[in-house]
Amino acid sequence: MAKTLKDQLYDALLRSMASGHLEPGLVLLEGNIADIFGMSRSPVRQTLGRLHDEGAISRFEGRGFLVGREPRAIVRRSLTAADFRAAGGQASVKRTESWRALAEKVEHDVVLCSMKGRFELNELQLAKSLDVSRATTYRILLQLQSLGVVEKIKYSSWNVVPLDDDRLHQLYEARRQLEPFMIAHACERIADKEIVRYLERLDQAQARYPAVQASQLDALENDLHHEALESGGNAEILIMLQRTRPILLISKHLLDGEIELPPGDPFFAAHREVFEAMRARRSALASSALHRHLQASESLVQERLANFRHAGELRTPRYLRWLGQR
């Protein structure tokens, strides 16, 4: 998993102190460091507290901290990005990688809980559990909201949207109405090289199956049910389809350690039939093939959902509170 913002800041400060570019006795101020790294003061405050607990910096009568345990003199100057770059590091943090790694973890926990019933998600507790800022937490929750996995109910509190049989059926109904329409339009727009790429990825996975990762199967699902549909050219329908994403998330997270991969062909033949029709530019055939695939897929996913609901073990994180069955 990618390092959190605080871990990255901790490494940068420790490296610069060890190299002498942040000299003993130098005053470290929250605001100065926050400005350099473009982050809020909260993670800076917590990182400085960690360095103090470890004895790398010390308190004094003035504001801030001093570099070193017992420095001989106090050095007052403004830090700059150059102080960190000179030590062989960077005066920045990788926000996207850290955020995406955490979002994937939260998505996994929330989706599994949604299969078991109704849960309330506490935003403040989530921030503490992830050890990140409220801004990062809120960004993760907005992403989950766009997928139809959570919904906001009041300040700092969200509900996990239960994924029961009725909702799953309704999501499939929406997909059967929208995806065949989009794939027919995509036949007229998509480049041959893209279709060939999808088919090659299918062939490679099928040749290795079942010695594949669940993440590879999820990527293949994304090829048909997201990337290929984007070529249909209707952004509004794509937004609607985003709400049906929980269908794919069921298999993505159940097959990721909760249940074994299916013994037979999980979907390779069905996807290939759609892509071959697209390569032949036969839009009606591609549309009907996708409709049949979705029709057959529903019963399989319903079965996975029922089995996990009945026998699957659930490790509920601290930020989620069970409210009962729907």
Side-chain angles (χ1 to χ4, degrees):
M1 179 180 293
K3 289 186 176 182
T4 65
L5 300 183
K6 287 184 292 185
D7 285 340
Q8 294 177 62
L9 178 61
Y10 172 85
D11 290 345
L13 287 166
L14 203 59
R15 183 189 305 109
S16 296
M17 288 187 290
S19 66
H21 290 90
L22 298 185
E23 62 270 32
L26 178 64
V27 178
L28 302 177
L29 299 175
E30 284 180 20
N32 188 187
I33 297 173
D35 289 341
I36 292 172
F37 284 84
M39 62 200 316
S40 65
R41 291 195 177 199
S42 178
V44 176
R45 184 180 309 118
Q46 294 175 52
T47 302
L48 291 175
R50 176 183 174 184
L51 290 168
H52 175 262
D53 292 342
E54 295 175 356
I57 59 178
S58 55
R59 294 188 182 276
F60 70 117
E61 294 183 358
R63 189 164 56 93
F65 293 85
L66 300 180
V67 173
R69 188 183 295 272
E70 294 180 354
R72 296 180 179 180
I74 297 176
V75 180
R76 297 184 183 275
R77 66 175 179 83
S78 293
L79 275 67
T80 67
D83 291 309
F84 297 95
R85 297 195 185 102
Q90 293 182 337
S92 62
V93 289
K94 297 180 180 180
R95 297 175 179 275
T96 302
E97 291 183 7
S98 176
W99 170 77
R100 291 194 182 282
L102 292 173
E104 187 74 13
K105 178 181 182 300
V106 177
E107 178 189 285
H108 177 81
D109 293 340
V110 170
V111 168
L112 292 184
C113 285
S114 74
M115 303 179 201
K116 290 282 190 176
R118 298 172 60 247
F119 288 81
E120 182 181 35
L121 188 154
N122 187 288
E123 185 178 332
L124 296 174
Q125 187 60 51
L126 176 60
K128 291 180 181 179
S129 298
L130 299 179
D131 197 22
V132 296
S133 68
R134 288 288 302 280
T136 299
T137 302
Y138 191 66
R139 185 177 183 183
I140 291 171
L141 290 171
L142 287 180
Q143 169 69 11
L144 295 181
Q145 185 182 43
S146 72
L147 298 175
V149 175
V150 299
E151 57 187 3
K152 192 169 181 62
I153 55 173
K154 57 184 178 181
Y155 175 74
S156 80
S157 185
W158 303 66
N159 270 354
V160 175
V161 182
L163 191 52
D164 57 15
D165 293 344
D166 288 340
R167 182 169 186 236
L168 184 62
H169 177 65
Q170 290 173 6
L171 292 174
Y172 263 104
E173 281 189 326
R175 290 180 70 187
R176 284 192 291 267
Q177 292 295 322
L178 298 174
E179 287 198 16
F181 172 85
M182 287 290 285
I183 210 69
H185 283 266
C187 279
E188 306 168 2
R189 300 165 176 262
I190 194 168
D192 286 336
K193 65 178 182 180
E194 293 301 314
I195 301 174
V196 170
R197 180 170 66 89
Y198 297 147
L199 287 168
E200 288 177 346
R201 282 159 58 91
L202 277 174
D203 291 338
Q204 292 167 4
Q206 187 170 22
R208 295 192 305 269
Y209 192 81
V212 297
Q213 300 292 323
S215 58
Q216 292 176 280
L217 295 182
D218 183 60
L220 294 176
E221 293 275 35
N222 190 69
D223 285 348
L224 175 60
H225 299 290
H226 180 68
E227 282 195 19
L229 295 180
E230 284 186 328
S231 298
N234 190 317
E236 296 300 323
I237 291 181
L238 291 175
I239 292 173
M240 297 175 193
L241 283 170
Q242 181 83 343
R243 290 282 298 182
T244 71
R245 186 72 182 176
I247 289 175
L248 299 179
L249 296 180
I250 292 175
S251 296
K252 172 184 176 181
H253 294 296
L254 284 184
L255 296 177
D256 189 17
E258 303 298 330
I259 62 175
E260 295 182 355
L261 294 175
D265 180 353
F267 53 70
F268 300 138
H271 282 211
R272 182 174 289 103
E273 184 179 2
V274 176
F275 288 134
E276 290 290 4
M278 294 181 72
R279 183 158 63 171
R281 305 301 173 181
R282 300 181 64 180
S283 57
L285 187 60
S287 180
S288 61
L290 182 51
H291 190 277
R292 287 194 303 273
H293 169 48
L294 292 171
Q295 194 77 38
S297 174
E298 179 176 354
S299 60
L300 295 175
V301 175
Q302 285 279 19
E303 182 179 357
R304 287 176 189 165
L305 180 59
N307 288 340
F308 178 74
R309 191 182 297 126
H310 174 70
E313 295 184 6
L314 187 64
R315 297 169 292 279
T316 307
R318 294 174 57 188
Y319 58 84
L320 290 173
R321 182 170 66 92
W322 191 63
L323 301 177
Q325 297 296 329
R326 185 169 182 172

